[in-house]
Amino acid sequence: MTTHDPRKLLESLRNHLTQPEANVSFLLGAGTSCAVRVAVPPDPAAADDEPPKTRSLIPNVAELTAICAREIKKLDPVNEGTRFAAAYDAIEKELGTGKRPVNIEDILSCVRRKVHAIGVGDTLSGLVSADLLVVEKTIQATIAAQVNPDRSSFPEQLPHEQFVRWIARMPRVHPVEIFTTNYDVLVETALEAERVPAFDGFVGCNRPFFSHDSLTRPENAPGTAWTRLWKIHGSINWRLDTVGGRSRVIRTEPHNEGEMILPSHHKYDESRKQPYSALLDRLTRVLDRDDAILFVCGYSFSDDHINAIIFDALEAKRRPHVVALQFADPDSSSVLAERAQRYLNLMVLGPRAGFIGGRHGEWKLEEVHSANHLAQAFALDPPEPEKELSGAGTLKLGDFACFAEFLGKLTGPA
């Protein structure tokens, strides 16, 4: 059976992450926000020795889907039928492929397609045009409210702050580029907490607006000391604004309307489509660099358009590298596992096993005595009774909090 030594892996990652000339970028998915844990108030009936419980500050996609489903079904007036609940179930069934569970982003994209397709007097999924618009706004507002928790509920320190601290302290020839599919403002909060200058494609002083040229023309962007933050699926602090009869996207304070939550490319008007398309183009250009290395954290490879950009880049060139840190080991039949066996420059690192150089293998530490030095990133399995340590264990970097701590250790204490 093939095995991979986590010590050698971690040394390789450290080398990549500490090279000043490295062209490093990150793709942060929903799992990075779910890594922020907050305490749950203790149950008065619980035993005194029961360990304290925690929850995610921001719900994961499955939880968010369930919350939105409940809100949609509440739209049905009491004793007047269940057309909204029936429509939600019909759309969910329509989208189901069996490959993965249908989530609320799939539902929202489908509802928007129906809004654009429906004619006067028509019904789709049992709803008229006005009903579909109500469903769209309900989903947008529910998502926005869930990913915009009150600041008083934040933990004392976000794992994102250690991540950002590494960016601030590590000398760089090229700016670090952060792509994220998340709508929340946790990265922005951490950047400001650590006083790290960042550029997100918006320009202006009063009502900053999205500027396509700032992404495509280097002379229109700040220098390399500025971290780039690209929010591919939109943000809770974006709005549509109209100036002189023309619509444009502006950045504001976070709000709970969710009008600029953009989970897919389908049927957006030009003003909404511009950021989405421009930011995907930016990801393509970043991966087109021969020396590019993209660290993927908290992303489940469920967005076909982002996947296509990543896999096309890996197939076209040998030099770009992608390191996919996974919270759970990918299923052997998943697209990620299939591509990891095909592309030698795609490294997939799960908790119990990984794909390195196209070969799948479980983690096994060759020199068990070095385990203490790796404890923040790798946990050895306890030995079986009357047996020595086997060297097998769990790689913890798929948890963004652990990866952020790993990065923080590269720059020394705060």
Side-chain angles (χ1 to χ4, degrees):
M1 177 188 295
T2 300
T3 60
H4 298 303
D5 188 349
R7 182 181 63 81
K8 294 178 181 177
L9 166 73
L10 294 172
E11 287 177 357
S12 174
L13 295 182
R14 287 190 186 100
N15 288 336
H16 284 301
L17 291 163
T18 55
Q19 289 294 328
E21 300 83 11
N23 240 318
V24 178
S25 55
F26 295 85
L27 172 59
L28 307 183
T32 61
S33 297
C34 296
V36 181
R37 308 292 298 181
V38 294
V40 174
D43 182 355
D48 292 339
D49 58 349
E50 185 173 316
K53 296 180 179 179
T54 64
R55 63 170 178 84
S56 294
L57 175 68
I58 292 174
N60 62 35
V61 174
E63 292 167 339
L64 191 58
T65 300
I67 293 168
C68 289
R70 288 197 296 269
E71 293 303 311
I72 291 169
K73 292 174 182 181
K74 286 180 184 178
L75 296 172
D76 287 312
V78 178
N79 301 324
E80 290 188 24
T82 58
R83 72 180 190 279
F84 286 103
Y88 180 89
D89 293 341
I91 292 171
E92 188 176 42
K93 184 177 180 180
E94 174 186 335
L95 294 172
T97 62
K99 293 182 179 179
R100 63 173 177 83
V102 175
N103 63 48
I104 196 58
E105 293 187 336
D106 302 324
I107 299 283
L108 177 56
S109 296
C110 184
V111 169
R112 284 177 171 163
R113 290 196 297 272
K114 292 178 185 293
V115 167
H116 283 82
I118 197 167
V120 177
D122 291 341
T123 61
L124 290 173
S125 302
L127 300 179
V128 298
S129 178
D131 292 337
L132 288 168
L133 288 171
V134 169
V135 172
E136 179 188 20
K137 289 186 177 181
T138 299
I139 295 173
Q140 291 174 171
T142 304
I143 292 175
Q146 291 296 319
V147 303
N148 187 25
D150 189 271
R151 290 290 295 272
S152 63
S153 64
F154 281 30
E156 186 174 334
Q157 185 182 71
L158 297 170
H160 302 65
E161 291 177 40
Q162 288 185 298
F163 170 63
V164 166
R165 197 172 297 132
W166 167 80
I167 293 174
R169 294 183 177 185
M170 197 61 61
R172 290 275 165 214
V173 174
H174 308 286
V176 172
E177 306 214 16
I178 304 169
F179 296 85
T180 179
T181 58
N182 298 338
Y183 314 119
D184 59 63
V185 292
L186 295 181
V187 175
E188 293 94 320
T189 300
L191 287 164
E192 292 180 3
E194 295 296 320
R195 301 189 178 188
V196 176
F199 178 64
D200 61 356
F202 287 76
V203 299
C205 300
N206 181 32
R207 296 168 70 82
F209 62 93
F210 184 80
S211 169
H212 182 274
D213 286 350
S214 67
L215 276 73
T216 57
R217 298 182 181 179
E219 65 272 18
N220 289 351
T224 57
W226 287 59
T227 297
R228 275 46 168 172
L229 176 62
W230 311 126
K231 305 193 77 170
I232 300 173
H233 284 179
S235 181
I236 57 170
N237 64 342
W238 293 6
R239 285 187 184 274
L240 279 177
D241 189 32
T242 302
V243 177
R246 297 178 61 187
S247 293
R248 63 184 181 181
V249 179
I250 62 171
R251 178 169 21 87
T252 66
E253 287 294 312
H255 58 90
N256 289 350
E257 294 176 19
E259 63 180 313
M260 289 304 297
I261 288 175
L262 312 171
S264 80
H265 74 297
H266 293 291
K267 298 286 186 183
Y268 293 143
D269 55 57
E270 191 56 37
S271 56
R272 294 186 193 223
K273 190 173 181 179
Q274 189 188 62
Y276 184 90
S277 300
L279 295 173
L280 287 180
D281 288 344
R282 179 72 181 192
L283 178 60
T284 300
R285 287 196 298 276
V286 165
L287 289 174
D288 194 46
R289 301 166 183 162
D290 283 340
D291 57 348
I293 178 166
L294 175 69
F295 285 86
V296 180
C297 314
Y299 173 66
S300 61
F301 285 82
S302 59
D303 185 307
D304 291 339
H305 301 94
I306 293 176
N307 292 354
I309 290 171
I310 292 173
F311 296 146
D312 287 351
L314 292 173
E315 187 155 19
K317 292 187 175 184
R318 297 288 185 183
R319 292 291 299 279
H321 284 76
V322 174
V323 179
L325 305 171
Q326 297 292 287
F327 188 77
D329 290 300
D331 188 271
S332 59
S333 62
S334 67
V335 63
L336 183 58
E338 187 271 322
R339 297 302 178 105
Q341 295 177 75
R342 187 192 308 181
Y343 304 135
L344 303 184
N345 45 352
L346 170 59
M347 190 183 295
V348 176
L349 310 179
R352 300 298 301 182
F355 290 88
I356 300 176
R359 295 163 55 208
H360 180 258
E362 296 180 354
W363 304 119
K364 185 172 183 180
L365 191 62
E366 293 178 3
E367 299 177 4
V368 177
H369 62 81
S370 66
N372 288 340
H373 301 292
L374 311 177
Q376 67 180 113
F378 182 76
L380 269 178
D381 291 344
E384 296 181 14
E386 301 181 7
K387 290 188 178 181
E388 295 183 351
L389 290 166
S390 66
T394 299
L395 187 71
K396 300 191 288 186
L397 298 186
D399 180 338
F400 181 68
C402 294
F403 181 60
E405 183 182 1
F406 175 76
L407 292 175
K409 297 291 185 183
L410 298 181
T411 60

